[in-house]
Amino acid sequence: MNVFDVMNAVGLVAFAIVGSLKASDADLDLLGIAVLGFLTALGGGITRDVLVGRTPAALSGSGDVLWTFVGVLVALALAVVVDERGLLDSPALLVPDAVGLAAFAATGALVGVSAGVSSFGVVVLATLTGVGGGTISDVLLDRVPFVLTEDFYASCALIGGVLFVLAVDAGVGRRTAALACAGVVFALRLLAVHREWRLPSV
Amino acid sequence: MNVFDVMNAVGLVAFAIVGSLKASDADLDLLGIAVLGFLTALGGGITRDVLVGRTPAALSGSGDVLWTFVGVLVALALAVVVDERGLLDSPALLVPDAVGLAAFAATGALVGVSAGVSSFGVVVLATLTGVGGGTISDVLLDRVPFVLTEDFYASCALIGGVLFVLAVDAGVGRRTAALACAGVVFALRLLAVHREWRLPSV
Amino acid sequence: MNVFDVMNAVGLVAFAIVGSLKASDADLDLLGIAVLGFLTALGGGITRDVLVGRTPAALSGSGDVLWTFVGVLVALALAVVVDERGLLDSPALLVPDAVGLAAFAATGALVGVSAGVSSFGVVVLATLTGVGGGTISDVLLDRVPFVLTEDFYASCALIGGVLFVLAVDAGVGRRTAALACAGVVFALRLLAVHREWRLPSV
């Protein structure tokens, strides 16, 4: 496994844990907990693949499903011993979640550029791959998606996508640009949490 | 018409009735009632077709639309004479609804295996075809989808999908496996209603 | 630019303004305001393109994105000086919004007939292109989509779609039929606002 595969696996486990804990906190049943874990981890990538006309990787036999399953099981184990809300805000989850956001934004940008979409499209797909799963989960939980109201989260993926586009336009290799994108997203997200950055409303 | 076609037609009518009655109960206008009837009946299949890259059958001239239209008209006729809530819980609707869940899960599994998705993908598509329409409707009605919180409904389609995959892997013909899947889903759903099965939450 | 291009541009700006003002009124942050502006303007067309298996025009370099961006900026400028709710109900926004509904319904019908979907499919795609963006935005804002409950809005696009299908079936050229469709949708929508038409509920 290279560094991307590791980041991707960490992200899938973290996103699945977050989704399953949110579901458990909202008193969904076991199936609902599993569904929200899977959708939080895989929903962004599925939406991206549908937009560019690919059969979603999650349905065609990728190992991503296994990592997601691990995350759901970990969440179930955690949910029986500790309080879900506390876990969702704990630093132990924030760092792997930031790894996932970074890995997914970079993957989304790579898929976008391979599919030949516009620069705007690449930025949209980077952001969507990073935050799409959490957005779908929040809609199913009957909430305004947290990425639209709270702090500096989707913005990290968006900035990473813009940097990726600028780097590729400047002649940097796609793979290097994707690594830089992931690094910037990860650093920005940790900074945003640490400094409690928020976007203004109007 | 073979047994599948009959089950599919019964299911479309039943799902359209359920969707339209829910919309009427939520005080949507006539268009909203029709839209929710159509989406409840056809939304699962449309989502499945989009995921495997097919133009949705519902848009390309299948007879499914006619059965759905019948269901919407029946629901409108019912809604003017009786109370919607009572109807939604009545056994007269539960049995055809279980027929629909069974038919749609089997169709979803067949489409999945034809599209060459993974075993996990086949189970997802079977479940999604069965419960996707109701989920979309609940999201539009601004509710947590009932399949994520209430009783033993999506689980029936999921178990049917798993059985289908195991049967096909064991060398059983797809058509026979689909019939077995439909039979199991139908029986499980009726049992679940009768025994008031629920999945635990954590 | 021909008349269609002008109507399309007016509609994109108007829809983006409406989406961004709704987001600002709901206290979303800057990113949420931009996302809802973009989704309200482009979401209907994106959903339509996904359903007929095309890469969404909005991601593959169309000028639509620029007009949408203009709308978001105008909304931000407006939101800092006046109250959002008053603007959303003002006639200054109702007319360009009706232009957009008309342009998008006509475009949706044209895409549908090019993609070879059924007559029912053409009507669905005309309606969806017109109201899909607003529906997605309302779902993200955790509301029942206004097109399902309030007055005579989606119905205008639906009637326009039916007229388009009848005209094309009667041998009228697609382009002429699309212009007639847009004209009817625009007139119906203004009439509906002026006379306060509503669909009945049951």
Side-chain angles (χ1 to χ4, degrees):
Chain A
M1 303 219 299
N2 61 35
V3 60
F4 257 133
D5 292 338
V6 174
M7 285 182 68
N8 193 50
V10 170
L12 288 167
V13 174
F15 275 41
I17 291 176
V18 169
S20 290
L21 288 178
K22 285 201 296 192
S24 176
D25 186 47
D27 292 323
L28 299 203
D29 64 21
L30 263 182
L31 183 82
I33 293 170
V35 167
L36 260 79
F38 276 97
L39 280 177
T40 304
L42 304 170
I46 291 174
T47 311
R48 175 202 66 213
D49 287 342
V50 165
L51 285 173
V52 300
R54 307 199 315 181
T55 300
L59 297 183
S60 54
S62 100
D64 286 7
V65 173
L66 286 179
W67 291 113
T68 306
F69 195 58
V70 169
V72 171
L73 290 181
V74 171
L76 286 174
L78 289 171
V80 292
V81 288
V82 279
D83 177 62
E84 293 97 343
R85 277 256 60 86
L87 273 172
L88 284 167
D89 297 329
S90 91
L93 207 43
L94 281 172
V95 174
D97 186 81
V99 171
L101 183 64
F104 295 174
T107 317
L110 281 172
V111 170
V113 84
S114 301
V117 302
S118 64
S119 295
F120 174 78
V122 171
V123 176
V124 167
L125 292 177
T127 311
L128 182 67
T129 309
V131 308
T135 302
I136 295 172
S137 298
D138 283 343
V139 167
L140 290 178
L141 289 171
D142 200 17
R143 301 174 182 168
V144 176
F146 77 99
V147 294
L148 298 179
T149 50
E150 260 176 55
D151 64 46
F152 203 81
Y153 190 92
S155 311
C156 304
L158 192 152
I159 293 170
V162 170
L163 284 178
F164 175 90
V165 166
L166 293 176
V168 169
D169 282 356
V172 177
R174 289 183 188 181
R175 204 176 159 70
T176 314
L179 275 173
C181 164
V184 166
V185 174
F186 180 68
L188 275 178
R189 178 61 192 144
L190 290 194
L191 262 173
V193 171
H194 186 248
R195 303 263 173 105
E196 301 189 1
W197 285 349
R198 281 171 186 284
L199 285 179
S201 52
V202 182
Chain B
M1 301 222 297
N2 61 34
V3 60
F4 257 133
D5 292 338
V6 173
M7 285 181 69
N8 193 49
V10 170
L12 287 167
V13 173
F15 274 41
I17 292 176
V18 169
S20 291
L21 288 178
K22 285 201 295 191
S24 177
D25 187 47
D27 291 323
L28 300 202
D29 65 21
L30 263 182
L31 184 82
I33 293 170
V35 167
L36 261 80
F38 277 96
L39 280 177
T40 305
L42 303 170
I46 290 174
T47 312
R48 174 202 66 213
D49 287 343
V50 165
L51 285 173
V52 300
R54 307 198 315 181
T55 301
L59 298 183
S60 55
S62 99
D64 287 7
V65 173
L66 287 179
W67 291 114
T68 306
F69 195 57
V70 169
V72 171
L73 290 180
V74 170
L76 286 174
L78 288 171
V80 292
V81 289
V82 279
D83 177 63
E84 293 96 345
R85 278 255 61 85
L87 273 172
L88 283 168
D89 297 330
S90 90
L93 208 44
L94 281 172
V95 174
D97 185 82
V99 171
L101 183 65
F104 295 174
T107 317
L110 281 172
V111 169
V113 83
S114 301
V117 302
S118 64
S119 295
F120 174 77
V122 171
V123 175
V124 167
L125 292 177
T127 311
L128 182 67
T129 309
V131 308
T135 302
I136 295 172
S137 299
D138 284 343
V139 167
L140 289 178
L141 289 171
D142 200 16
R143 302 173 182 167
V144 177
F146 77 98
V147 294
L148 297 179
T149 51
E150 261 176 54
D151 63 44
F152 203 81
Y153 190 92
S155 311
C156 304
L158 192 152
I159 294 169
V162 170
L163 283 178
F164 175 89
V165 166
L166 293 176
V168 170
D169 282 356
V172 177
R174 288 183 188 180
R175 202 172 163 73
T176 312
L179 275 173
C181 165
V184 167
V185 174
F186 181 67
L188 275 178
R189 179 60 192 144
L190 290 194
L191 262 172
V193 171
H194 186 249
R195 303 263 173 106
E196 301 190 0
W197 286 349
R198 281 171 185 284
L199 286 178
S201 52
V202 181
Chain C
M1 301 222 300
N2 61 36
V3 60
F4 257 133
D5 293 338
V6 174
M7 287 182 66
N8 193 50
V10 171
L12 288 167
V13 174
F15 275 41
I17 292 176
V18 169
S20 291
L21 288 178
K22 285 202 296 192
S24 177
D25 186 47
D27 291 324
L28 299 203
D29 65 21
L30 263 182
L31 183 83
I33 293 170
V35 167
L36 260 79
F38 277 97
L39 279 178
T40 305
L42 303 170
I46 290 174
T47 312
R48 175 203 65 215
D49 287 342
V50 165
L51 284 174
V52 301
R54 308 198 314 181
T55 302
L59 297 183
S60 55
S62 100
D64 287 7
V65 173
L66 287 180
W67 291 114
T68 306
F69 195 58
V70 169
V72 171
L73 290 180
V74 171
L76 286 174
L78 289 170
V80 292
V81 289
V82 279
D83 177 62
E84 293 97 345
R85 277 256 61 86
L87 273 172
L88 283 167
D89 297 329
S90 91
L93 207 44
L94 281 170
V95 175
D97 185 81
V99 171
L101 183 65
F104 295 174
T107 317
L110 281 172
V111 169
V113 83
S114 301
V117 302
S118 64
S119 296
F120 174 78
V122 171
V123 176
V124 166
L125 292 177
T127 311
L128 182 68
T129 309
V131 308
T135 301
I136 295 171
S137 299
D138 284 342
V139 167
L140 289 178
L141 288 172
D142 199 16
R143 301 173 183 168
V144 177
F146 77 98
V147 294
L148 297 179
T149 51
E150 261 177 54
D151 64 44
F152 203 81
Y153 190 93
S155 311
C156 304
L158 191 152
I159 293 170
V162 170
L163 283 178
F164 176 89
V165 167
L166 293 175
V168 169
D169 282 355
V172 177
R174 288 183 189 182
R175 201 173 162 72
T176 314
L179 275 173
C181 165
V184 166
V185 173
F186 180 67
L188 274 179
R189 178 61 192 144
L190 290 194
L191 263 172
V193 172
H194 186 249
R195 304 263 172 106
E196 301 189 0
W197 286 348
R198 283 173 183 283
L199 285 179
S201 51
V202 180

